[in-house]
Amino acid sequence: MAVGYRELAEVLREGILRGDYSAGETLPKQEEIAVQYGVNIKTVRQAVRLLEAEGLVTPVRRRGTVVRERPPMKRLGVERYAKSKWKFGLVAFAADREASGRTWSPTDQTQTVRMVEADAEVAEAFDLPGGAQVYERARIVKEGDSPTHTLTSYYRPEDVQGTPLVDPTPGPAGRGGGFAVLTLQGLEPDSMTETIHSRMPTPDESEMLGLPAGEPVVILQRRTFTREGRLVEFARGVHAASRFAWSYTFKIPD
């Protein structure tokens, strides 16, 4: 039976998933694959492109086609925001690292802070008039040299003016991060709503997160409220899909 590029991709895919080719390992040269399976080089290239689009391999200059690392970090659900964590200095991204057995450093997070005009989504969330000014705190979080996600939070100026939340110094906004800062402002976070969906990244997102061809992103929208129901933070995150396993533990409602 003739081997087409889809059949060849299936053989290579099974080998990767079975562990014949380990994460970080280079696949045999395309010429060698062509000889092994009795196909032409065009068929091999098409098969490899299909695996690239699936996020299983990525081309690396001067190395060849490399099997992608796929050790997803555990992203905790409600547990990552536990008051017992941030009130004692452990911020959310660090809670994920510790739950995954990974090391972390405060400088894994960098940020830029500026006053901006609220876009339609932010204005709606805070019930602000068009053109209202809000603080934007845009973070990039890395593990080692690899960016894992971005998170951009928005705040009313009167809530955060003069606090560590508007300090662009790398790292969390002090011990316990932004939630601890809000608590000191008399705005203790008490509940939140997270909404997630996936899509393909924009070119800027691909570059910022160092994404290979074919990898989608997971988009997070977070609204954080006080016990009285006052919105104190509206946040949007962009996560590299292959770098996280999203985990939620909760009591099943009656």
Side-chain angles (χ1 to χ4, degrees):
M1 183 178 91
V3 177
Y5 79 93
R6 293 185 183 277
E7 289 79 15
L8 179 58
E10 178 63 23
V11 171
L12 296 173
R13 183 187 302 110
E14 288 179 354
I16 292 170
L17 298 178
R18 191 170 53 239
D20 296 349
Y21 307 106
S22 303
E25 184 179 345
T26 303
L27 293 182
K29 292 181 179 179
Q30 293 187 1
E31 293 82 1
E32 296 174 3
I33 294 174
V35 170
Q36 180 179 353
Y37 293 100
V39 298
N40 60 46
I41 196 70
K42 180 181 178 182
T43 299
V44 177
R45 288 172 181 160
Q46 288 177 306
V48 169
R49 279 198 294 269
L50 187 56
L51 297 180
E52 286 177 24
E54 294 173 4
L56 290 175
V57 300
T58 189
V60 177
R61 190 176 180 185
R62 296 180 182 172
R63 280 193 62 190
T65 303
V66 177
V67 178
R68 290 191 55 199
E69 298 279 352
R70 300 183 70 82
M73 187 187 310
K74 186 175 184 180
R75 186 191 183 279
L76 299 175
V78 295
E79 299 96 337
R80 75 195 305 267
Y81 299 121
K83 295 181 182 182
S84 59
K85 289 184 170 61
W86 54 264
K87 283 192 174 183
F88 291 92
L90 191 64
V91 295
F93 86 83
D96 291 340
R97 299 282 175 88
E98 293 193 358
S100 304
R102 312 282 184 91
T103 59
W104 66 279
S105 165
T107 54
D108 288 345
Q109 175 182 295
T110 58
Q111 55 254 336
T112 57
V113 180
R114 59 180 184 155
M115 190 83 81
V116 299
E117 184 176 306
D119 62 30
E121 190 173 48
V122 173
E124 181 275 330
F126 283 107
D127 194 23
L128 295 172
Q133 297 288 297
V134 293
Y135 268 111
E136 176 189 81
R137 184 169 181 252
R139 283 95 84 201
I140 300 177
V141 182
K142 296 184 177 182
E143 184 180 23
D145 295 327
S146 299
T148 59
H149 65 288
T150 68
L151 185 67
T152 302
S153 295
Y154 298 89
Y155 307 93
R156 293 184 183 89
E158 62 268 26
D159 290 347
V160 298
Q161 185 71 49
T163 73
L165 277 171
V166 296
D167 182 351
T169 302
R175 183 173 171 80
F179 287 178
V181 172
L182 290 169
T183 298
L184 291 174
Q185 293 292 97
L187 300 168
E188 180 175 330
D190 187 72
S191 67
M192 65 173 56
T193 299
E194 288 192 336
T195 304
I196 58 175
H197 70 277
S198 63
R199 60 168 169 76
M200 296 309 294
T202 66
D204 286 346
E205 289 166 349
S206 289
E207 182 177 1
M208 185 180 300
L209 294 174
L211 300 177
E215 175 158 350
V217 289
V218 175
I219 306 301
L220 166 77
Q221 183 196 90
R222 183 174 81 198
R223 299 181 187 222
T224 305
F225 303 88
T226 65
R227 182 172 296 178
E228 294 74 31
R230 186 176 191 273
L231 182 72
V232 290
E233 180 211 37
F234 177 83
R236 291 185 288 234
V238 182
H239 299 68
S242 69
R243 296 171 197 172
F244 291 93
W246 298 63
S247 176
Y248 291 89
T249 301
F250 52 89
K251 186 179 185 305
I252 299 173
D254 292 331

